[in-house]
Amino acid sequence: MSMGLAYTYESLGLEDTKRLAGELAARLTPGSLVALDGDLGAGKTAFSKEIAACMGVKETVNSPTFTIIKEYPGSKMPLYHMDVYRITESEAGELGLDEYFYGEGVTLVEWASLIESLLPDERLSIFIEYTGPESRTFHLNAFGEPYASWCRAMTENGVLR
Ligand SMILES: Nc1ncnc2c1ncn2[C@@H]1O[C@H](COP(=O)(O)OP(=O)(O)OP(=O)(O)O)[C@@H](O)[C@H]1O
Ligand SMILES: [Mg+2]
């Protein structure tokens, strides 16, 4: 994968993870794509839940184990939450994911690197690194606009470094 512009965020607990989700959610628009990676239990779903809450999603967001894709209505636009851990890239290719990526809502993909070739080039990739029971380092890579601008703004306001 080519490198986008790289930034980091240190989370010392769920409250910090919630803060980053809030900063990001405030910027999301229809067609936004956030590609999440990180080991089992890193916090991809925990982060997705916080983004969903900020988007006004009322339903409980959990790992869509058997559904792969779940759509949640939000206050301004839908959230498409995907977890592609259990399918192959070619199976994912049959799902018509572009309908979501270029749709009316925001897409969050857990285990996004597994379907790298199917992802639009422009996206915000976030790798969540487990650094301790309550702490995580979020590694953000902005590929294209508007993601690069979001990250610059979040660096200027002291959220990212
Ligand atoms: N700072 C933190 N940020 C995010 N999650 C945290 C943090 N500290 C502890 N946690 C906990 O870590 C766990 C992360 O689990 P989660 O299901 O979100 O991981 P995941 O990356 O989605 O795993 P999987 O690959 O199995 O889907 C949750 O229980 C969450 O409460
Ligand atoms: Mg998960």
Side-chain angles (χ1 to χ4, degrees), residues 10-18 37-50 63 81 83 85-86 110-111 128 130 132-138:
E10 298 295 344
S11 171
L12 299 179
L14 271 179
E15 279 305 308
D16 288 345
T17 294
K18 189 172 181 170
D37 284 288
D39 291 342
L40 290 165
K44 302 178 292 298
T45 302
F47 187 60
S48 298
K49 284 177 193 281
E50 300 299 348
S63 276
H81 182 223
D83 187 328
Y85 184 63
R86 288 163 195 85
E110 296 194 32
W111 294 98
I128 308 173
Y130 180 102
E134 303 298 325
S135 61
R136 307 289 188 270
T137 301
F138 287 69

Side-chain angles (χ1 to χ4, degrees), residues 42-113:
K44 302 178 292 298
T45 302
F47 187 60
S48 298
K49 284 177 193 281
E50 300 299 348
I51 289 181
C54 294
M55 288 177 62
V57 171
K58 300 292 178 211
E59 281 174 77
T60 301
V61 171
N62 40 38
S63 276
T65 308
F66 300 108
T67 44
I68 311 296
I69 305 168
K70 188 142 170 27
E71 180 171 347
Y72 299 92
S75 54
K76 291 188 194 146
M77 59 205 157
L79 168 65
Y80 311 127
H81 182 223
M82 304 181 185
D83 187 328
V84 299
Y85 184 63
R86 288 163 195 85
I87 55 170
T88 64
E89 198 163 45
S90 70
E91 283 166 344
E94 306 289 301
L95 296 175
L97 300 182
D98 282 354
E99 293 283 338
Y100 298 95
F101 297 146
Y102 301 104
E104 301 295 308
V106 166
T107 306
L108 300 182
V109 189
E110 296 194 32
W111 294 98
S113 62

Side-chain angles (χ1 to χ4, degrees), residues 21 24-30 32-34 51 55 77 106 108 150:
L24 196 53
R27 295 175 165 85
L28 297 168
T29 58
S32 295
L33 172 58
V34 180
I51 289 181
M55 288 177 62
M77 59 205 157
V106 166
L108 300 182
W150 297 355

